[in-house]
């Protein structure tokens, strides 16, 4: 059994209103040292696979097909 | 004419589209369940309705795009069939790659339901020939993720090919930043594919197609389709 | 909860010693742990109404239009043509205080299930919300979380949220009020009930899998909020509107097959409440094997399964032999439908885990044998002093125009657009009158008819005089419907009060119900259902007593529907009803003088009834062009609302011996502003005379400003200035 | 300047409708080896701080106060 931690982030060129809102929220709470906030998605996918290589390939394909939209998002992942 | 309204789990404007096609413009219409592999009828137009297919979980339209029926819809579109995606339907069309770009969260991060003005930028499409060139119409929006985004090249192409069909505008028809309530690129509210047979729009024409609801300006999207299919002429030429 | 941490485990579960004795008496033995848990939730106030039942019995509940009165998941009223409306309101105050988004969202989910359980397709949602002052960050957090939770759930399931109300008052700071109302449309023949009959019929769990959500939720909703509430945090459930949408479609499809004997949503107390309630109504018993219940988590005990409040589940009793049909429909929608037991003849709720019986109690012991408490009622000692506060000698403002503008931007009065723009209020293509009017109006497809919907309560009036406040809540709701041309059919209510064990609170409750009942009788609006939420207190301080009233009315001819906005230049503006010198309980008094005192506006039910009948006739005969009820903020604010809604100004002349503050801002009841074409004046007067309703001329529709002239005051403002204040107030505060 | 990667996840016992839907989506795409999917948030917070310890303390407080909802969510973070 493998567990992948997948990170999906908005491409730098895409505005991130949610990140801005969180930043504002932090500033108004007094965290004046915050420079920037970006908000993305974090997915934990548990899967069965013959070996790590296969798991890696599968996860990569899942990201490409469904988990991230290449028009607006980038992805990366770690496999355990 | 025969219309199909695709029903995804979580679609919720399917009945509204069905109602307008059947009761308001008097055409035949079927619901088509997302698990179907093939159309059992020959359709003149396929509508992907609004709603929250698969709860809009992950990304709007992302999971619905892989429903079995979508392969058929994609083929149908490639063969030149008319496809109208409204709201969630638009989102599904971009996820399926039938339309360029994507729809992301409204700039204020809130769901917005209200009337907006749209300028008909291109009335020479199968979905808009019943509108006058540059006509301004009032149509409701209801979405949380309707900000249209695309890369600069795509935008250029959209402009060059006259693919921007509706823009958010003032009542006077000016596509000003103030009326761009959701933060769409270039005030884009609806686009068509290059071939001109697949339209996606965030506003809901089916919600303003009857006088009893106080506004019937959206009806003409549907009458345009019928007229175009009958070989009708573009208005105001 | 697993191991008895104290000597008296029932105390921890919210049962008293005498209640525990009663349980032992009923069973003839000590209850085991599962049974004790079941009793504790079913005998909580939330499920048993043990403190409120004797008082609620005094509501009038009958009328020719009532197809289903209190006692089912929702009330049902007839609208003719073989169609009916199911509707109900429910509170989700305590969960919303802890997690506003999910608390409010699951509140919507619950009330929607109550309505489609009746066989009705939900067609509208409303909500009634109350928070502390918007100057407090916590109130803003709760307000925005609750609104987006309602939006998140309602929008996703595709039911339009067409109306509601929002108030802000410090008494709600720690304990917000979140009431959600759902309205559904059904054909008489599809009316379904929550009953388990037919011995041998299967009992099925359908919908979501069961997890450890909200265990103890129901008893938690019946306790005051205090710092220890933090401890109970797991009691928060997460809603899945997508699942609910599928469940709704599957259940409605199932009901159409005619195979459903009974169906009940799993609300508070989950499988326990749904099974014992269905058995009680069917005069039967139910046997369940918890091992068969589809679960989301591993290692769940029978206790946890029986008490879980996981959302989006239902208990269905189909006709024996149709199990496969039920499974087929649910699997089409991607849902579980599993037989977990069957209906028995012995009246017992028997819970097994495999072959082992883990609980066995008479179903009726849980539902009907809970002790009923006749609580002591006592008027609060300080109330007479507050009521008798001398309002006659208050100083008058020096600048009425400024007061007027300030009132328009009071959150309690200002436009609630910020709220309802976040709700999809149009999906379904039935919304003829949208939020922002006196009542929402929906058309009924395939007929000429419409229904009007509203939810109302001014809790400050109820605080100052519960009897009058109760009367006003019902009357104002009816008046709001009447202003659209709808005849009120019936009401549902949600009683949100403090701790009923306190005599002062119980007195408020009794008095408010008495006032509501009197108004219901006078206006022919029977109560078809409702909900009681007690223990709305923080640190011993109760919220303002808040009996919200949700009402449904029928418009026979939709082409006659009336709205509040002025329609034509030069129309006459008239007042139906009479101004009087009343300031008690008004928003003006609270804002300008900092007083929440005096007696609330009087209400004469005979006059109210005449006014409503008169207005209905005027609208029905097409004699008037607009109608708007005068409520918070008084005559001047109501005029401003008519102007803004119609985008037309008005020239008003007020000649009256009444002092200007009361004339402009007093909240005297039984008044409606109408506008008419000039040539209708005589006919309109005649109708008013026939009903004995005072009628007077206020002015004319004119220009793009609102001008109000009186003996020693003038208000003269452009509509854009008024609109900026009225619409800008809440967005501005929420940015803060 | 420090950069924190913050992971906000639903507590294990809390229902994760998104995760369920994504899992179903992956299964229907033919990824039959998927056992479980949980969806959470991923935030990148850039902040100024005197030293790593201070940055750590700040981020932790931000999580407690705003970034995670302790009623239903857990959080963790990495600091760079
Ligand atoms: N929480 C809410 N949700 C939806 N609509 C709301 C909400 N609060 C207020 N509204 C709408 O705003 C309008 C004004 O509400 P209210 O001030 O209570 O009016 P009234 O005094 O006539 O009852 C109504 O149309 C109401 O439906
Ligand atoms: Mg009101």
């Amino acid at each position: 059994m493998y567990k992948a931690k997948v990170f999906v982030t908005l491409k730098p060129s895409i505005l991130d209103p949610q990140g801005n809102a969180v930043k504002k929220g932090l500033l108004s709470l007094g965290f004046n040292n915050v420079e920037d906030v970006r908000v993305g998605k974090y997915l934990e996918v548990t899967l069965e696979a013959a070996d790590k290589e296969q798991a890696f390939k599968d996860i990569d394909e899942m990201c490409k097909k469904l988990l991230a939209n290449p028009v607006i998002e980038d992805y990366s992942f770690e496999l355990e | 004419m025969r219309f199909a309204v695709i029903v995804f789990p979580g679609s919720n404007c399917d009945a509204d589209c069905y109602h307008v096609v059947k009761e308001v413009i008097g055409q035949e219409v079927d619901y088509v369940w997302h698990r179907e592999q093939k159309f059992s009828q020959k359709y003149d137009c396929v509508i992907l309705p609004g709603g929250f297919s698969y709860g809009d979980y992950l990304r709007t339209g992302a999971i619905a795009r892989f429903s079995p029926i979508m392969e058929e819809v994609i083929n149908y579109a490639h063969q030149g069939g008319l496809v109208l995606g409204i709201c969630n339907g638009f989102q599904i069309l971009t996820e399926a790659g039938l339309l360029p770009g994507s729809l992301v969260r409204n700039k204020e991060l809130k769901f917005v339901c209200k009337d907006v003005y749209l300028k008909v930028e291109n009335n020479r499409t199968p979905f808009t020939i019943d509108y006058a060139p540059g006509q301004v119409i009032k149509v409701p929006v209801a979405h949380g993720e309707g900000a249209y985004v695309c890369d600069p090249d795509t935008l250029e192409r959209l402009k060059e090919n006259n693919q921007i069909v509706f823009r958010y505008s003032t009542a006077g028809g000016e596509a000003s930043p103030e009326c761009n309530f959701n933060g769409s690129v270039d005030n884009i509210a609806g686009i068509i594919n290059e071939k001109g047979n697949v339209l996606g729009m965030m506003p809901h024409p089916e919600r303003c197609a009857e006088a009893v609801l106080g506004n019937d300006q959206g009806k003409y999207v549907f009458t345009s389709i019928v007229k175009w299919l009958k070989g009708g002429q573009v208005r105001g030429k | 909860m697993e191991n008895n941490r104290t000597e008296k485990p029932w105390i921890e579960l919210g049962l008293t010693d005498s209640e525990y004795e009663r349980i032992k008496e009923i069973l003839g033995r000590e209850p085991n742990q599962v049974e004790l848990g079941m009793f504790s939730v079913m005998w909580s106030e939330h499920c048993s109404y043990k403190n409120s039942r004797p008082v609620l019995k005094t509501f009038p509940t009958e009328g020719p239009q009532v197809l289903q009165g209190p006692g089912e998941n929702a009330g049902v009223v007839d609208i003719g043509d073989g169609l009916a409306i199911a509707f109900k309101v429910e509170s989700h105050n305590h969960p919303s205080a802890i997690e506003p988004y999910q608390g409010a969202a699951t509140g919507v989910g619950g009330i929607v299930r109550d309505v489609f359980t009746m066989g009705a397709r939900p067609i509208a949602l409303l909500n009634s919300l109350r928070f502390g002052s918007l100057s407090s960050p916590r109130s803003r957090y709760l307000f925005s979380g609750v609104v987006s939770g309602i939006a998140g759930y309602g929008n996703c399931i595709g039911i339009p949220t067409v109306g509601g109300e929002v108030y802000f008052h410090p008494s709600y700071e720690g304990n917000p009020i979140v009431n959600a109302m759902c309205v559904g449309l059904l054909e008489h023949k599809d009316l379904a009930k929550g009953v388990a009959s037919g011995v041998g019929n299967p009992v099925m769990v359908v919908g979501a899998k069961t997890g450890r959500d909200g265990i103890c939720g129901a008893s938690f909703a019946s306790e005051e909020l205090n710092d220890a509430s933090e401890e109970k945090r797991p009691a928060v459930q997460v809603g899945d509107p997508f699942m609910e949408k599928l469940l709704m479609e599957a259940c409605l499809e199932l009901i159409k097959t005619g195979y459903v004997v009974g169906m009940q949503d799993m609300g508070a107390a989950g499988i326990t409440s749904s099974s014992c309630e269905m058995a009680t109504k069917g005069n039967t018993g139910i046997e369940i094997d918890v091992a068969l219940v589809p679960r989301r988590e591993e290692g769940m005990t029978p206790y946890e399964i029986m008490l879980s409040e996981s959302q989006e589940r239902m208990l269905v009793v189909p006709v024996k032999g149709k199990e496969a049909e039920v499974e087929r429909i649910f699997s089409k929608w991607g849902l579980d439908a599993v037989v977990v037991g069957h209906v028995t003849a012995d009246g017992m709720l028997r819970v097994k885990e495999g072959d082992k019986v883990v609980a066995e109690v008479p179903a009726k012991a849980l539902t009907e044998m809970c002790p009923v408490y006749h609580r002591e009622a006592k008027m609060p000692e300080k109330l007479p002093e507050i009521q008798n506060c001398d309002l006659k000698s208050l100083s008058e403002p020096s600048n009425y125009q400024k007061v007027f503008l300030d009132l328009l931007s009071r959150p309690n009065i200002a436009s609630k657009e910020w709220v309802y723009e976040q709700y999809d209020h149009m999906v379904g293509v039935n919304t003829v009158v949208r939020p922002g009017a006196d009542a929402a109006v929906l058309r009924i497809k395939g007929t000429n008819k419409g229904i009007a919907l509203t939810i109302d309560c001014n809790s400050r009036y109820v605080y100052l005089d519960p009897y009058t406040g109760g009367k006003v809540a019902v009357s104002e709701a009816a008046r709001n419907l009447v202003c659209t041309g709808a005849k009120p059919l019936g009401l549902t209510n949600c009683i949100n009060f403090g701790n009923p064990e306190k005599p002062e609170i119980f007195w408020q409750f009794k008095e408010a119900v008495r006032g509501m009942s009197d108004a219901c009788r006078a206006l022919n609006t029977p109560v078809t259902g409702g909900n009681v939420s007690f223990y709305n207190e923080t640190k011993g301080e109760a919220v303002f007593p808040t009996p919200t009233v949700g009402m449904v009315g029928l418009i026979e001819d939709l082409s006659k529907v009336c709205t509040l906005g002025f329609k034509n230049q030069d129309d006459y503006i008239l007042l139906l009803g009479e101004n009087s010198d009343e300031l008690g309980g008004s928003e003006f008094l609270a804002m300008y003088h900092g007083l929440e005192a005096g007696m609330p506006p009087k209400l004469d039910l005979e006059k109210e009834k005449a006014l409503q009948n008169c207005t209905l006739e005027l609208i029905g005969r097409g004699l008037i062009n607009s109608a708007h009820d005068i409520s918070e903020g008084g005559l001047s604010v109501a005029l401003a609302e008519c102007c803004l809604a119609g985008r037309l100004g008005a020239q008003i002349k007020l000649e009256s011996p009444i002092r200007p503050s009361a004339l402009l801002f007093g909240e005297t009841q039984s008044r409606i502003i109408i506008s008419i074409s000039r040539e209708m004046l005589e006919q309109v007067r005649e109708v008013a005379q026939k009903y004995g309703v005072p009628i007077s001329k206020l002015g004319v529709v004119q220009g793009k400003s609102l001008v109000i002239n009186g003996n020693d005051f003038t208000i003269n403002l452009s509509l854009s200035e008024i609109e900026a204040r009225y619409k800008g107030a809440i967005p501005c505060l929420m940015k803060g």
Side-chain angles (χ1 to χ4, degrees), chain A, chain B, chain C:
Chain A
M1 200 77 93
Y2 294 88
K3 185 164 163 182
K5 301 181 169 182
V6 180
F7 311 100
V8 180
T9 49
L10 282 175
K11 283 192 191 305
S13 62
I14 304 278
L15 273 183
D16 178 12
Q18 217 186 336
N20 289 340
V22 173
K23 180 177 165 189
K24 265 198 204 156
L26 289 172
L27 290 176
S28 78
L29 280 177
F31 295 102
N32 301 320
N33 51 343
V34 174
E35 290 290 325
D36 188 40
V37 180
R38 303 278 295 173
V39 178
K41 270 179 232 143
Y42 170 60
L43 295 96
E44 290 175 354
V45 181
T46 316
L47 75 168
E48 201 62 82
D51 53 31
K52 194 157 180 177
E53 203 178 328
Q54 187 56 45
F56 191 94
K57 269 183 59 186
D58 281 353
I59 292 287
D60 196 54
E61 216 183 307
M62 290 179 201
C63 288
K64 283 216 178 73
K65 270 202 167 161
L66 180 69
L67 303 183
N69 175 350
V71 178
I72 47 171
E73 292 168 333
D74 294 325
Y75 69 86
S76 64
F77 59 89
E78 291 164 11
L79 202 58
E80 278 171 13
Chain B
M1 306 292 146
R2 195 169 198 99
F3 286 65
V5 175
I6 312 287
V7 184
F8 299 97
S11 289
N12 61 34
C13 306
D14 45 346
D16 300 355
C17 291
Y18 186 97
H19 167 80
V20 169
V21 172
K22 187 163 180 205
E23 308 294 338
V24 181
I25 62 162
Q27 302 298 316
E28 305 210 58
V29 53
D30 299 323
Y31 288 119
V32 176
W33 183 236
H34 75 118
R35 281 210 202 138
E36 305 287 321
Q37 310 267 350
K38 293 270 174 243
F39 292 145
S40 60
Q41 299 269 346
K42 193 185 160 315
Y43 290 112
D44 299 295
C45 177
V46 171
I47 299 178
L48 306 193
F52 285 72
S53 55
Y54 289 93
D56 275 354
Y57 296 141
L58 189 65
R59 277 187 323 279
T60 58
I63 303 178
R65 174 253 172 281
F66 290 105
S67 278
I69 195 66
M70 280 308 291
E71 216 162 305
E72 175 85 343
V73 172
I74 291 169
N75 284 336
Y76 176 83
H78 285 329
Q79 285 157 23
L82 298 188
V83 179
L84 169 61
I86 300 168
C87 199
N88 197 227
F90 186 10
Q91 293 161 340
I92 296 170
L93 290 175
T94 60
E95 284 283 337
L98 286 175
L99 289 172
S102 184
L103 294 137
V104 299
R105 280 192 68 176
N106 296 352
K107 68 177 176 196
E108 308 279 357
L109 299 171
K110 285 197 195 68
F111 190 95
V112 178
C113 177
K114 65 175 183 183
D115 282 331
V116 299
Y117 290 102
L118 298 181
K119 183 167 183 203
V120 181
E121 299 282 5
N122 179 352
N123 75 327
R124 308 177 63 166
T125 80
F127 309 92
T128 51
I129 54 172
D130 244 356
Y131 292 107
Q135 188 176 339
V136 178
I137 56 177
K138 189 164 84 176
V139 181
V141 289
H143 59 248
E145 303 187 35
Y148 182 77
V149 294
C150 64
D151 60 58
D153 294 345
T154 306
L155 183 61
E156 266 325 296
R157 268 206 315 281
L158 289 176
K159 285 187 189 164
E160 250 164 52
N161 300 330
N162 221 356
Q163 283 173 258
I164 300 171
V165 178
F166 299 109
R167 275 202 175 89
Y168 300 112
S169 78
T170 61
E174 191 202 340
S176 68
E178 295 77 53
C179 44
N180 190 6
F181 70 97
N182 63 11
S184 290
V185 167
D186 210 25
N187 285 45
I188 287 175
I191 57 169
I192 199 159
N193 63 342
E194 239 177 281
K195 245 166 121 186
N197 63 318
V198 179
L199 177 84
M201 63 190 297
M202 286 314 293
H204 285 276
E206 81 280 12
R207 293 188 181 185
C208 55
E210 293 167 274
V212 63
L213 302 178
N215 177 4
D216 70 353
Q217 295 181 338
K219 179 173 78 182
Y220 302 102
V221 168
F222 300 91
T223 58
S224 290
I225 297 170
V226 175
K227 190 168 170 185
W228 189 86
L229 287 166
K230 289 184 177 156
Q233 288 299 302
V234 172
R235 236 173 95 182
K237 278 196 65 187
Chain C
M1 231 133 305
E2 276 304 284
N3 34 19
N4 300 352
R5 269 180 286 160
T6 62
E7 290 289 291
K8 295 178 166 184
W10 58 90
I11 298 287
E12 219 169 294
L13 292 171
L15 292 165
T16 64
D17 286 344
S18 72
E19 285 168 344
Y20 186 69
E21 287 307 313
R22 178 90 187 255
I23 292 168
K24 281 203 310 201
E25 209 178 290
I26 293 170
L27 296 181
R29 58 178 166 86
E30 302 259 347
N32 69 27
Q33 197 194 38
V34 179
E35 292 163 343
L36 190 57
M38 287 161 49
F39 274 104
S40 86
V41 285
M42 290 310 297
W43 284 17
S44 70
E45 172 60 32
H46 189 78
C47 291
S48 71
Y49 292 85
K50 59 188 169 190
N51 293 296
S52 52
R53 216 185 301 172
V55 176
L56 296 177
K57 281 213 174 106
T58 61
F59 276 135
T61 59
E62 282 169 14
Q65 72 275 38
V66 178
L67 298 182
Q68 177 64 59
E72 274 294 338
N73 290 306
V76 180
V77 289
D78 188 11
I79 59 165
D81 295 329
L83 298 172
I85 297 295
F87 65 113
K88 172 107 188 290
V89 62
E90 196 150 86
S91 68
H92 239 215
N93 306 339
H94 292 109
S96 304
I98 305 233
E99 214 303 297
Y101 184 97
Q102 295 298 344
T106 51
V108 172
I111 196 66
V112 166
R113 284 193 297 283
D114 276 338
V115 165
F116 72 70
T117 310
M118 302 299 295
R121 173 167 286 277
I123 56 168
L125 288 164
L126 294 94
N127 56 90
S128 167
L129 313 176
R130 280 162 180 78
F131 304 95
S133 156
L134 276 186
S135 58
S136 121
R138 184 174 155 76
S139 293
R140 291 199 296 271
Y141 162 74
L142 290 175
F143 177 39
S144 71
V146 162
V147 169
S148 51
I150 292 172
Y153 206 99
N155 298 351
C156 185
I157 46 178
I159 303 170
T161 301
V162 298
E165 53 167 8
V166 191
Y167 287 92
F168 305 93
H169 186 271
S171 76
Y172 302 106
E173 178 76 33
N175 190 128
I177 301 294
V178 177
N179 293 172
M181 171 170 164
C182 182
V183 178
L185 177 67
L186 71 154
E187 293 182 47
H188 290 185
K189 65 174 174 54
D190 289 334
L191 182 56
K193 298 197 176 178
V195 39
S197 51
V199 173
N201 277 335
V203 173
M204 301 179 81
V205 170
V206 304
K209 296 193 194 317
T210 299
R212 288 192 178 91
D213 308 85
I215 291 165
C216 285
S219 34
F220 158 66
S222 305
E223 284 164 39
E224 295 168 34
L225 289 182
N226 53 40
D227 291 336
S229 303
E230 300 270 308
E231 293 286 295
K232 303 209 169 174
R233 277 188 160 170
V236 172
Q237 309 126 46
V238 170
D240 182 351
F242 172 55
M243 174 72 83
E244 175 108 337
K245 163 80 176 161
L246 303 179
L247 183 63
M248 173 170 81
E249 296 299 341
C251 287
L252 291 172
E253 193 173 324
L254 180 63
I255 284 171
K256 287 280 177 199
T257 63
Y259 299 154
V260 177
V261 174
M263 186 148 108
Q264 170 103 355
D265 117 80
M266 291 191 206
I271 299 182
T272 300
S273 66
S274 50
S275 55
C276 68
E277 284 168 11
M278 287 183 83
T280 298
K281 280 186 218 149
N283 249 319
T284 54
I286 282 184
E287 184 175 304
I288 279 182
D289 180 356
V290 290
L292 301 174
V293 175
R295 271 154 288 175
R296 200 174 79 227
E297 294 173 67
E298 287 177 14
M300 287 183 71
T301 62
Y303 181 96
E304 290 171 324
I305 295 168
M306 287 307 287
L307 297 187
S308 159
E309 297 195 346
S310 288
Q311 300 288 299
E312 292 95 20
R313 299 177 302 160
M314 312 272 279
L315 204 64
V316 176
V317 176
V319 177
K320 190 171 168 62
K322 300 298 179 192
E323 296 87 338
E325 193 57 19
V326 179
E327 279 163 26
R328 188 190 60 78
I329 290 174
F330 278 79
S331 94
K332 171 183 161 195
W333 293 97
L335 300 174
D336 286 330
V338 176
V339 176
V340 298
H342 58 274
V343 180
T344 64
D346 64 3
M348 300 300 277
L349 175 56
R350 190 173 304 107
V351 182
K352 293 165 106 180
E353 188 181 32
D355 290 334
K356 197 173 114 216
V357 173
V358 293
E360 186 167 24
V361 297
K364 286 186 179 165
L366 295 167
T367 52
E368 289 181 348
M369 289 156 99
C370 173
V372 169
Y373 298 106
H374 296 266
R375 297 279 176 201
E376 185 196 345
K378 200 175 104 220
M379 186 193 230
E381 227 162 87
K382 286 209 190 109
L383 191 57
E385 191 186 321
I386 296 169
Q387 289 178 336
N388 295 331
C389 172
D390 175 20
L391 304 178
K392 291 280 171 213
S393 55
L394 290 173
S395 64
E396 281 287 293
S398 55
N399 183 341
Y400 292 97
Q401 178 157 307
K402 178 169 183 308
V403 172
F404 172 65
L405 283 173
D406 289 347
L407 262 183
L408 282 173
S409 39
R410 286 280 282 187
N412 284 346
I413 287 180
S415 166
K416 305 301 185 297
E417 197 173 80
W418 185 90
V419 176
Y420 58 72
E421 264 191 14
Q422 296 185 52
Y423 302 152
D424 187 339
H425 46 261
M426 291 185 252
V427 59
V429 292
N430 295 320
T431 314
V432 172
V433 176
R434 300 178 188 179
D438 289 277
V441 176
L442 272 76
R443 67 145 160 209
I444 303 298
K445 284 194 196 102
T447 72
N448 266 332
K449 294 177 178 173
I451 54 167
L453 309 170
T454 186
I455 188 164
D456 269 290
C457 176
N458 182 314
S459 60
R460 190 186 284 133
Y461 299 170
V462 185
Y463 159 74
L464 292 174
D465 178 21
Y467 174 72
T468 304
K471 259 192 338 188
V472 170
V474 171
S475 303
E476 186 187 334
R479 206 184 307 133
N480 281 342
L481 298 186
V482 161
C483 283
T484 68
K487 184 172 157 5
L489 293 178
L491 69 85
T492 174
N493 63 77
C494 195
I495 309 268
N496 307 271
F497 282 57
N499 177 351
E501 295 154 42
K502 298 180 186 166
E504 291 78 13
I505 301 288
F506 203 73
W507 178 83
Q508 289 180 328
F509 169 54
K510 266 179 86 168
E511 284 293 293
V513 169
R514 189 167 67 87
M516 292 164 81
S517 297
D518 282 356
C520 288
R521 283 195 193 89
L523 303 175
N524 267 323
T525 51
V527 174
T528 65
N531 175 244
V532 175
S533 166
F534 282 139
Y535 304 96
N536 289 288
E537 307 204 343
T538 5
K539 306 206 165 92
E541 285 295 311
V543 298
F544 266 5
T546 312
T548 50
V549 172
M551 209 182 269
V552 175
L554 177 65
I555 300 175
E556 288 286 350
D557 178 357
L558 200 52
S559 68
K560 299 257 172 66
V561 72
C562 187
T563 54
L564 76 163
F566 290 141
K567 301 293 180 311
N568 314 299
Q569 288 281 351
D570 300 327
D571 275 3
Y572 283 143
I573 302 167
L574 308 177
L575 176 71
L576 295 176
E578 234 169 345
N579 299 321
S580 79
D581 192 335
E582 291 180 299
L583 282 179
S586 67
E587 190 69 22
F588 162 78
L589 191 65
M591 178 186 83
Y592 188 79
H593 294 289
L595 283 176
E596 301 191 280
M599 282 301 273
K602 291 184 289 294
L603 190 123
D604 177 329
L605 286 169
E606 282 312 308
K607 284 187 186 166
E608 179 71 39
K609 194 175 164 183
L611 172 84
Q612 293 191 12
N613 288 337
C614 170
T615 307
L616 279 180
E617 177 164 342
L618 289 170
I619 296 173
R621 287 173 53 192
L623 298 178
I624 65 177
N625 297 334
S626 73
H628 184 33
D629 158 46
I630 298 181
S631 61
E632 286 86 5
L635 180 59
S636 58
V637 167
L639 281 165
E641 289 167 345
C642 297
C643 288
L644 292 179
R647 312 213 141 270
L648 288 169
Q651 290 278 344
I652 305 295
K653 183 98 187 103
L654 296 179
E655 273 163 359
S656 166
I658 297 171
R659 59 192 156 148
S661 61
L663 187 59
L664 289 166
F665 313 125
E667 297 174 8
T668 294
Q669 293 294 299
S670 309
R671 293 183 296 166
I672 291 175
I673 296 171
I674 61 174
S675 69
I676 66 168
S677 307
R678 292 188 175 211
E679 64 274 15
M680 297 296 181
L681 187 58
E682 269 324 297
Q683 287 185 67
V684 171
R685 273 192 205 284
E686 271 166 31
V687 175
Q689 247 155 30
K690 183 171 101 190
Y691 287 94
V693 172
I695 183 165
S696 55
K697 200 172 143 202
L698 294 172
V700 291
V701 177
Q702 210 167 80
K704 293 283 178 193
S705 297
L706 173 60
V707 182
I708 308 178
N709 282 309
N711 293 333
D712 14 69
F713 62 86
T714 277
I715 289 175
N716 185 343
L717 290 161
S718 72
L719 293 192
S720 51
E721 213 168 330
I722 291 175
E723 180 162 37
R725 285 296 196 103
Y726 183 69
K727 292 205 170 159
I730 291 182
C732 178
L733 284 164
M734 291 310 286
K735 276 197 190 106

